[in-house]
Amino acid sequence: MSTIFLTGSTGFLGSHFLIGFVGTQFERAYVLIRGETEQIRRDKLVSALQLAAVSYSVKPDIEALLQRVTIVQGDISKPRFGVSDSDLLELQQAHLAQFWHFAASLNFEEHRRDHIKSTNIDGALYAVQFCQAAHIEHFIYISTAYTSGRGNGPVPESLHSPDRSFCNYYEESKCQAEHTVMETCHAIKLPVTIFRPSMVIGNSQTKNPGGSDTALYGFLRELRRLKRAVTGVNEPVRLFCMPQGQVNFIPIDLLMSDIRLVLNTGLVDGDIHHLTSDQCPQIKSALSMICEQLGLTNITLMQRDDSPLSLVETVLEQHLSLYANYINAHKLFARKIAQSHTVTDEEFVAYVTEGIKHLPAEIAPVAARVAAH
């Protein structure tokens, strides 16, 4: 078995990747982690692996896994990751087969644009350059299925033009990074493969979030904050969506099974793979389940119209603005991978229920300023 290099090992996807592949598909992994001391870096990795591990029905042996992992101090926002000459020499001598670039900023907010660019675009370029410097044979970039930007309908497994409208700068940055990665890798004759996950949710084995606090879980957290404001009025509150649309959710373990199938078949230079489900609940059904589990009994789900918003509806819209484009869309992702995944309504309720159980302690519920009016 070969040895690999990995960024983003302390994140949601990276930690599950280590659990799923190191010791089975790969002999060892070098992982890039930021932190002033060796203990800080190790603690960050252990914490991420433990959060991921509890989501499996058969708990992985984290201590055994750690014996196969070597931590390299570095920062993806710096040229050559700020890695020391001695560490780079060790990597060159390790004859690494693959570089897996999971690290990314998941921020959507426009005011964080500089940070997002530094991490997602500059960081991707630094990753390719580091891959070449460390003499690693194949570069694998983890992107997002939403590099297609705004719009509905079929989404091909090909590069999308960056000259399009995006829902947010996160999507735009990942689209630009895909082009940067492809162009740079081809220029230096470095084989490259891109994987595009959709909205990744917890483990299908237990429905536990497994360390994720974004996408579905960020939406749950924000709606819970709004509960007091929404239920504090004696009238229906409209939440606008595309009722027959679909948000594409992929459970983390099924995503990893897709990657495993591609690895077993063999990575192909230039390939792009969607890591997505083939069928998920319709948006109205999914939102109804979420509202029911959160006790938001007076929310009415409907297509947007021209009627004026109430004060509470205005607050709701403002706080859910980052998610609005996703609950008002229906994308159909093409897939080369020869297996299919479905998230049923019953399964989705279980993911929501477990997600609510694992939400952090509530802070600053949105209610006081609405009541004041």
Side-chain angles (χ1 to χ4, degrees), residues 294-307:
L294 286 170
L296 295 165
T297 56
N298 61 328
I299 281 188
T300 299
L301 304 167
M302 60 182 293
Q303 195 94 29
R304 178 124 202 179
D305 58 26
D306 295 329
S307 59

Side-chain angles (χ1 to χ4, degrees), residues 67-272:
Q67 296 301 313
R68 295 177 176 270
V69 174
T70 301
I71 297 174
V72 178
Q73 182 181 13
D75 184 336
I76 67 165
S77 66
K78 297 179 179 179
R80 215 183 76 171
F81 292 163
V83 169
S84 68
D85 291 338
S86 59
D87 282 345
L88 181 59
L89 179 60
E90 179 180 344
L91 293 170
Q92 291 170 341
Q93 294 174 342
H95 304 293
L96 304 179
Q98 297 168 8
F99 183 124
W100 288 80
H101 188 47
F102 283 95
S105 169
L106 301 180
N107 295 129
F108 286 68
E109 299 88 346
E110 185 64 27
H111 70 271
R112 297 184 178 178
R113 190 179 185 93
D114 289 345
H115 167 72
I116 297 170
K117 178 183 181 300
S118 173
T119 305
N120 293 354
I121 301 175
D122 299 342
L125 176 59
Y126 295 152
V128 173
Q129 292 171 344
F130 187 85
C131 183
Q132 182 187 33
H135 303 164
I136 304 175
E137 298 172 8
H138 199 118
F139 186 81
I140 298 98
Y141 179 63
I142 309 301
S143 185
T144 172
Y146 291 91
T147 53
S148 56
R150 296 180 189 274
N152 301 308
V155 180
E157 291 179 307
S158 58
L159 289 178
H160 307 301
S161 169
D163 185 21
R164 63 180 57 217
S165 177
F166 294 94
C167 298
N168 47 65
Y169 187 59
Y170 167 75
E171 290 183 355
E172 183 179 350
S173 73
K174 297 295 277 187
C175 181
Q176 291 179 0
E178 285 188 357
H179 283 269
T180 297
V181 164
M182 279 290 195
E183 291 166 7
T184 308
C185 284
H186 289 163
I188 61 177
K189 295 181 170 51
L190 175 65
V192 56
T193 302
I194 294 176
F195 287 100
R196 288 178 176 162
S198 58
M199 298 289 185
V200 189
I201 54 178
N203 198 312
S204 71
Q205 299 169 26
T206 63
K207 310 304 187 287
N208 184 296
S212 177
D213 60 1
T214 60
L216 171 63
Y217 307 108
F219 186 76
L220 291 175
R221 186 172 58 250
E222 199 60 35
L223 261 184
R224 186 186 64 175
R225 286 189 65 221
L226 294 159
K227 179 177 179 179
R228 194 179 301 175
V230 171
T231 58
V233 296
N234 296 317
E235 60 186 29
V237 176
R238 294 171 299 170
L239 174 57
F240 299 113
C241 64
M242 181 187 287
Q244 307 306 315
Q246 188 178 104
V247 178
N248 194 286
F249 295 106
I250 179 73
I252 183 66
D253 57 318
L254 301 186
L255 178 155
M256 294 300 164
S257 75
D258 275 355
I259 292 178
R260 180 172 288 104
L261 189 59
V262 174
L263 286 175
N264 290 340
T265 305
L267 293 173
V268 175
D269 181 24
D271 263 4
I272 297 174

